[in-house]
Amino acid sequence: MQLIKQVLKRSEMFLFLVNWLLFFANIFAVFLASLPQDSVHLLGFRSVLPEPSQKLLPWDQSVSHCQWKGVTCYSDTTSHVESLNFRDFLLSGILDKAFHNLCHLTRLISLDLSGNHFTGGIPTMLANCSQVDTIRLNDNRFSGSIPPQIFKSRLSTSLQYLGLWNTSLSGNVPKELFDLPNLTQLYIHANNLTGPLPDFPSSCSLSQLHIHHNRFSGSLPISLGNCHNLTAFYATSAHLGGVISPEVFRGLSNLEFLYLLDNNFA
């Protein structure tokens, strides 16, 4: 009889704990439902980061997310996030695990995560950030190559500025990167990129191209001359070689800055 009483008491305690957990889960769900969607996505991004990084984003949930550190909203009444600037916040963690939350910010156009300690590969979820036109991921601790699938999506309709310098990237430059129709500024210097440069499309829109201090092979593609709006080309110490065809420069009438020092040209 005593044993039965103990079992019943433990069962009652278990049911009590379950009910309390369900109660708090419902309270939390109601709390999230009361927040603007952009707040929910920002909090989702922070929650995936390591605890020390979460503390570097001390967002007060009693005020609008538009007042949170690093967050800028549109001036209209929608409270949608326009840009995120987490530059030099010293955030860490594998960015790919947290990045999908940022792509749910439907009106985000500018993202600056530079100067942090993010690791892993370049987030493949970038492919889902179709509305973003400016991405700065430079000065992080990434590894691996630039994933070409990022640039095969709707992202190519918007991206104008891409900063990937000094991020320890390796491997070849994907052809899809140069094919982005609205990309005007590309900074991939100070990495360990290898292989020949891919051809540039006939509709090349680049005005700034920085590829210096890499480990490429081969010479400059003649198709670089398709970049008629190019004003600055930095390729110092890029390990390029071979013979530079005069055809390369015939279409570059707007070129103002050209740096080709410390290469292996014939």
Side-chain angles (χ1 to χ4, degrees):
M1 191 66 179
Q2 185 67 26
L3 179 61
I4 293 175
K5 288 183 179 179
Q6 289 179 356
V7 171
L8 289 174
K9 188 175 182 179
R10 290 176 181 175
S11 298
E12 290 174 355
M13 181 61 71
F14 176 75
L15 290 173
F16 175 79
L17 291 173
V18 168
N19 287 330
W20 266 104
L21 288 173
L22 289 174
F23 172 77
F24 282 113
N26 288 331
I27 292 294
F28 185 66
V30 170
F31 171 71
L32 286 180
S34 67
L35 291 174
Q37 280 300 300
D38 281 9
S39 295
V40 175
H41 298 317
L42 287 170
L43 291 173
F45 168 76
R46 186 180 67 171
S47 69
V48 182
L49 299 177
E51 185 175 348
S53 290
Q54 293 184 32
K55 293 180 179 179
L56 295 173
L57 296 173
W59 292 336
D60 181 357
Q61 296 172 39
S62 67
V63 300
S64 168
H65 61 267
C66 297
Q67 300 178 41
W68 291 353
K69 181 181 179 182
V71 179
T72 300
C73 293
Y74 288 91
S75 57
D76 55 28
T77 59
T78 62
S79 297
H80 283 303
V81 175
E82 179 181 15
S83 65
L84 296 175
N85 185 353
F86 301 153
R87 181 178 181 179
D88 295 330
F89 277 25
L90 304 181
L91 303 173
S92 62
I94 299 176
L95 186 58
D96 202 29
K97 293 181 179 180
F99 201 85
H100 69 280
N101 293 285
L102 301 183
C103 290
H104 290 311
L105 300 170
T106 56
R107 294 185 62 189
L108 180 70
I109 59 173
S110 178
L111 176 61
D112 190 344
L113 297 175
S114 63
N116 287 289
H117 298 157
F118 289 120
T119 55
I122 297 294
T124 55
M125 288 299 296
L126 270 175
N128 295 333
C129 294
S130 58
Q131 75 286 358
V132 178
D133 61 36
T134 300
I135 297 176
R136 292 178 170 90
L137 298 177
N138 51 281
D139 297 305
N140 275 287
R141 300 174 180 177
F142 297 122
S143 58
S145 58
I146 303 173
Q149 62 268 32
I150 291 177
F151 311 109
K152 296 178 181 178
S153 70
R154 291 178 301 161
L155 176 70
S156 63
T157 63
S158 302
L159 194 61
Q160 299 175 24
Y161 179 109
L162 180 60
L164 294 176
W165 73 87
N166 193 30
T167 50
S168 302
L169 294 173
S170 57
N172 292 3
V173 176
K175 178 181 182 298
E176 292 81 2
L177 178 55
F178 287 169
D179 288 341
L180 294 175
N182 295 309
L183 186 65
T184 58
Q185 300 182 64
L186 177 60
Y187 305 91
I188 55 174
H189 54 282
N191 283 296
N192 296 308
L193 298 171
T194 56
L197 291 174
D199 282 325
F200 295 82
S202 58
S203 57
C204 173
S205 57
L206 288 169
S207 62
Q208 295 273 337
L209 178 57
H210 294 220
I211 65 169
H212 50 286
H213 292 93
N214 275 291
R215 303 188 62 83
F216 296 117
S217 59
S219 188
L220 291 177
I222 294 177
S223 55
L224 177 63
N226 294 334
C227 302
H228 304 303
N229 296 321
L230 193 66
T231 59
F233 180 47
Y234 290 73
T236 300
S237 299
H239 279 247
L240 295 169
V243 177
I244 302 178
S245 170
E247 296 292 326
V248 171
F249 301 105
R250 288 184 180 176
L252 304 180
S253 58
N254 292 307
L255 191 63
E256 298 177 6
F257 301 98
L258 175 65
Y259 294 89
L260 299 174
L261 296 174
D262 296 324
N263 282 288
N264 301 311
F265 297 120

